[in-house]
Amino acid sequence: MTQSNRIKRIGILTGGGDCPGLNAVIRAVTKAALVDHDLEVFGVEDGFLGLIENHIHALTFSSVSNILDRGGTILGTSNKANPSKYCTSHDGKGHPIFEDVSELVVNNARAAGLDVLVCIGGDGTMSAASGVIKRGLPVIGVPKTIDNDLMHTDVTFGFDTAVTTATDSLDKIRTTASSHHRVMLVEMMGRNAGWITLHAGAASGADIILIPEIEYDLDKVCDTCLKRSRSGKAYTLIAIAEGARPRGGEVVVDHVVHESPDPIRLGGVSEVLCGEISEQTGLEGRATILGHVQRGGTPTARDRVLATQFGHRAVQLIDNREFNQMVCMQNGRMESIPISEVADQQRLVTIDHPLLQACRAIGVSFGD
Ligand code: F6P
């Protein structure tokens, strides 16, 4: 490497929905860059918004001290600031007008002296990064999301914490379900992927698990609840994903964020299904939507470890000048994959997934 093209300064941003473990990655990248590689590190505030509006600041040892176990992100984030589709204004009817501001982002990054950008995010952030890469700014991706739905990585950090939180909630709801002899539905996040629900449902021994990848049959769900009740079981615990839908039916949309490139926000299917089960079976039901509690709080030990490994690997990739790659975990090994292969894709639960098969084998119903 010649002196002139030596990497001297890196930027870090966190994009999309937050998740536990983001700070652990920021800490690992910053420390590895400062200690091992004599690089300067700058934090970009609120995802790509910080490069659109020029909000960046230097990160030092003291800025990343004592953040390993802290939820959220010290840099802030945004899920509306995708430079390739950024809402710059609204028309007369209040509809958003989107523009591609990737060029501006790259110019601002260069003006700030950033030689490479570490983008910690999900499929949307990797897609946003692709536009920046095309304009010549090198990027390293780090996969985050509680949904665990990124392609080409066995796991994303944040997922383990979300599953732990959801499992804890399911365990708590089981006791009240038992006292009141109710059908209890617990709705989990995940967009169109059922990973959180499958894992938390399995961990808490849910009787019925409903995920987006398997459309449910209302009659079969009701039948399972009735059979359990008639056989003397005190209650039925249903783990349901926000993206679950009935056979031939639609997902339940909670609201639309018009300024977001990915505007649909799911939520409420558990309440709809709860009403239908109660009406059809006469059993008393209650629905609980866990919501953003799954995204908050202290990362589990497993997520802290994964985040630290991902952060370290990101700096290794920079050192090796292996740009425009996303760090990933494949078969237990730290690897990397071109960001272009990950952007705008979702990894879903497959019907033959071993955990799904194991649940079926022990009598869990998937409503099909
Ligand atoms: O992708 C993470 C996630 O928490 C999804 O599970 C959920 O559908 C969505 O983000 C919620 O987004 P918001 O924070 O914008 O409501």
Side-chain angles (χ1 to χ4, degrees), residues 10-345:
I10 66 173
I12 311 180
L13 64 80
T14 52
D18 71 343
C19 81
L22 286 168
N23 286 326
V25 180
I26 295 167
R27 169 183 178 269
V29 169
T30 305
K31 288 198 168 184
L34 296 176
V35 176
D36 241 9
H37 301 281
D38 197 22
L39 297 167
E40 289 180 302
V41 186
F42 276 71
V44 177
E45 294 167 25
D46 300 328
F48 280 102
L49 193 62
L51 282 173
I52 296 169
E53 297 184 347
N54 267 321
H55 295 143
I56 70 169
H57 61 267
L59 292 178
T60 61
F61 279 109
S62 72
S63 19
V64 298
S65 172
N66 284 322
I67 63 167
L68 176 61
D69 60 349
R70 205 193 295 172
T73 160
I74 59 163
L75 295 176
T77 186
S78 165
N79 52 15
K80 294 184 199 150
N82 179 339
S84 359
K85 198 179 172 195
Y86 181 61
C87 172
T88 50
S89 57
H90 292 82
D91 68 14
K93 290 182 180 150
H95 299 137
I97 297 171
F98 293 102
E99 285 179 56
D100 189 338
V101 295
S102 306
E103 194 77 41
L104 173 71
V105 162
V106 172
N107 289 342
N108 286 342
R110 292 214 188 288
L114 303 183
D115 300 308
V116 55
L117 193 59
V118 176
C119 295
I120 312 170
D123 58 328
T125 304
M126 295 310 145
S127 152
S130 303
V132 169
I133 292 168
K134 273 190 209 128
R135 284 163 182 82
L137 182 67
V139 170
I140 300 295
V142 180
K144 74 86 224 192
T145 166
I146 60 163
D147 303 339
N148 200 34
D149 61 349
L150 266 171
M151 287 297 275
H152 304 298
T153 186
D154 300 343
V155 67
T156 55
F157 69 88
F159 173 63
D160 188 62
T161 309
V163 169
T164 303
T165 300
T167 302
D168 184 45
S169 305
L170 279 153
D171 288 347
K172 285 180 173 143
I173 283 175
R174 175 190 296 286
T175 59
T176 171
S178 171
S179 312
H180 289 270
H181 315 296
R182 285 174 174 160
V183 175
M184 295 294 252
L185 296 93
V186 181
E187 180 176 322
M188 279 153 270
M189 283 185 163
R191 297 192 294 174
N192 302 311
W195 295 107
I196 299 175
T197 305
L198 174 62
H199 281 254
S204 63
D207 308 300
I208 302 176
I209 298 177
L210 303 177
I211 57 174
E213 293 84 348
I214 303 175
E215 292 183 344
Y216 63 81
D217 180 331
L218 175 61
D219 291 339
K220 293 206 168 136
V221 172
C222 290
D223 202 39
T224 304
C225 296
L226 278 175
K227 274 192 187 136
R228 285 180 54 79
S229 167
R230 286 176 190 146
S231 72
K233 301 279 185 193
Y235 64 91
T236 297
L237 185 60
I238 304 180
I240 178 167
E242 62 180 3
R245 57 185 165 155
R247 187 163 293 158
E250 295 299 326
V251 290
V252 177
V253 175
D254 181 64
H255 63 281
V256 180
V257 183
H258 294 285
E259 292 76 17
S260 167
D262 185 12
I264 301 298
R265 296 294 180 275
L266 301 172
V269 63
S270 58
E271 285 165 345
V272 173
L273 182 58
C274 182
E276 290 169 340
I277 293 172
S278 296
E279 195 181 306
Q280 196 157 317
T281 64
L283 297 169
E284 189 178 29
R286 290 287 187 276
T288 304
I289 301 176
L290 295 185
H292 290 82
V293 71
Q294 296 158 97
R295 288 230 305 252
T298 304
T300 58
R302 182 186 284 232
D303 273 338
R304 295 181 211 181
V305 169
L306 185 61
T308 302
Q309 287 178 288
F310 277 161
H312 171 238
R313 182 81 184 116
V315 177
Q316 281 183 327
L317 290 175
I318 293 172
D319 196 42
N320 297 339
R321 302 182 73 81
E322 291 178 53
F323 298 133
N324 309 330
Q325 300 277 313
M326 185 189 81
V327 176
C328 58
M329 174 74 86
Q330 289 176 342
N331 301 319
R333 290 173 59 89
M334 277 293 144
E335 302 286 353
S336 64
I337 181 98
I339 287 176
S340 54
E341 291 186 28
V342 184
D344 282 329
Q345 298 203 50

